[in-house]
Amino acid sequence: EYLGVDVGGTLSKIVYTTGDYWEYKKMPTTQINAVDHWINSHFNNPVIHITGGKAGLFTQKSALPVKKINEFEATCEGVRWLLEEKGLLSRTGSRFMVTNVGTGTSIHFVNGDSYERIGGSGVGGGTLLGLSYLLTGEDNYDEILTLGQNGKGENLNITVGDIYSHEVPPISGDLTASNFGNVSRMKEESFSKEDYISAVVRMIGETITTMGVQAAERLKTDSVVYIGSTFSHHDTLKDIIKGYTELRGKKAFFLEHGEYSGAIGAFLNK
Ligand code: ATP
Ligand code: MG
């Protein structure tokens, strides 16, 4: 029985098929022994196609035989497969960017059958957890999601419109000029945990969008496909990114189960 496994810096993703359908499973990479145990208790003689930065940790801990697959190739392969399955390739075109927001962020360019890693950033899902913890003391992922959805993060920022207060700005006044830059307002007003986390979410969303959009501009494509567990259940982050991508003249695509792209690509690599 075949399995695709993506052992990421934070979460391990497992995919396999039952008939015509994908089955999905996610577990924390910190509990790598539980991942091994789960596979052993659900499969007889599994053939594991493994990818992700912590694939080596799994192979060290597990007695199961594995075939290692390159993470970036697997990710892009999986994205293409999901786009095709959902009938979205006609909308993205064959040239598009993939922005994978995991613990960190990686940006890829897919052009037909070829893939290229364009760049990345240390600003990612891990940043959301870390800055939220520093600012509020919260370390529960679901709690962080809920708090962030109920705050007004914009108030901690300075917009282009704030700076160009007495004339028409040369670029959209709605663009953020400085995330967390509004120190004078911070001194005058008090902000809640909700506001802090909301501002963190906004900074991460805007930073990630900017990188992908700039790469898209350079590589002459309009489509940016966003994947990674950082988006799962996170509608506010998706809204910010969608809005900001469109404000920058590009199209944003979010894939259901997009965070399983690496595992799917590994699975498909036969
Ligand atoms: P990388 O690809 O950078 O090695 P990864 O593959 O583990 O990391 P993802 O699984 O795509 O990364 O995303 C991890 C991020 O998803 C976390 O940083 C966090 O923001 C978010 N996340 C979503 N669900 C959870 C969860 N249950 N527990 C922890 N983080 C979660
Ligand atoms: Mg990953």
Side-chain angles (χ1 to χ4, degrees):
E1 288 170 289
Y2 274 99
L3 284 173
V5 180
D6 173 8
V7 190
T10 306
L11 298 171
S12 296
K13 280 75 67 180
I14 301 171
V15 302
Y16 54 99
T17 56
T18 49
D20 288 341
Y21 299 98
W22 288 110
E23 298 286 340
Y24 303 98
K25 174 81 184 163
K26 211 184 266 183
M27 298 167 90
T29 298
T30 47
Q31 291 165 34
I32 198 74
N33 291 323
V35 176
D36 182 49
H37 181 258
W38 187 89
I39 295 172
N40 273 304
S41 59
H42 285 77
F43 296 89
N44 296 313
N45 304 317
V47 177
I48 299 179
H49 287 187
I50 197 161
T51 192
K54 290 228 181 278
L57 173 71
F58 181 84
T59 50
Q60 202 181 73
K61 299 273 179 185
S62 172
L64 295 167
V66 298
K67 177 183 172 191
K68 211 170 162 192
I69 315 287
N70 175 282
E71 178 181 0
F72 302 146
E73 277 178 30
T75 303
C76 292
E77 195 69 56
V79 169
R80 264 220 335 220
W81 198 94
L82 284 170
L83 284 171
E84 210 164 319
E85 185 200 39
K86 292 170 205 292
L88 284 169
L89 261 183
S90 57
R91 288 174 56 202
T92 59
S94 59
R95 295 165 62 88
F96 52 86
M97 309 307 307
V98 174
T99 299
N100 181 11
V101 190
T103 312
T105 298
S106 216
I107 296 185
H108 309 266
F109 175 52
V110 177
N111 182 9
D113 287 338
S114 67
Y115 320 112
E116 193 186 343
R117 185 173 185 276
I118 298 302
S121 167
V123 175
T127 316
L128 167 64
L129 303 184
L131 279 183
S132 296
Y133 174 68
L134 275 181
L135 289 166
T136 70
E138 294 292 343
D139 65 356
N140 178 279
Y141 182 72
D142 294 323
E143 184 65 23
I144 287 171
L145 279 198
T146 308
L147 288 170
Q149 272 159 16
N150 293 308
K152 277 198 136 324
E154 303 95 311
N155 293 342
L156 289 113
N157 300 340
I158 298 175
T159 64
V160 169
D162 290 334
I163 294 181
Y164 279 82
S165 54
H166 294 74
E167 56 188 292
V168 178
I171 53 175
S172 169
D174 293 336
L175 288 165
T176 305
S178 182
N179 294 95
F180 285 94
N182 209 331
V183 182
S184 56
R185 190 183 277 165
M186 290 172 193
K187 287 177 175 168
E188 284 163 14
E189 297 170 30
S190 62
F191 291 96
S192 61
K193 280 185 176 186
E194 284 85 346
D195 295 331
Y196 287 148
I197 297 180
S198 163
V200 170
V201 170
R202 182 162 284 280
M203 179 179 72
I204 291 168
E206 292 178 357
T207 305
I208 286 164
T209 305
T210 299
M211 288 192 302
V213 162
Q214 285 175 348
E217 197 62 43
R218 192 162 56 79
L219 292 158
K220 305 199 179 346
T221 171
D222 287 339
S223 305
V224 187
V225 180
Y226 294 96
I227 59 163
S229 306
T230 309
F231 297 114
S232 50
H233 308 293
H234 207 160
D235 291 338
T236 38
L237 180 63
K238 284 194 264 194
D239 287 346
I240 287 168
I241 287 187
K242 184 172 187 295
Y244 220 63
T245 304
E246 288 169 1
L247 187 64
R248 309 286 293 266
K250 302 290 178 196
K251 288 182 287 187
F253 296 88
F254 294 94
L255 282 176
E256 194 189 352
H257 298 123
E259 68 269 39
Y260 292 94
S261 297
I264 290 173
F267 180 98
L268 294 171
N269 191 299
K270 291 205 172 132

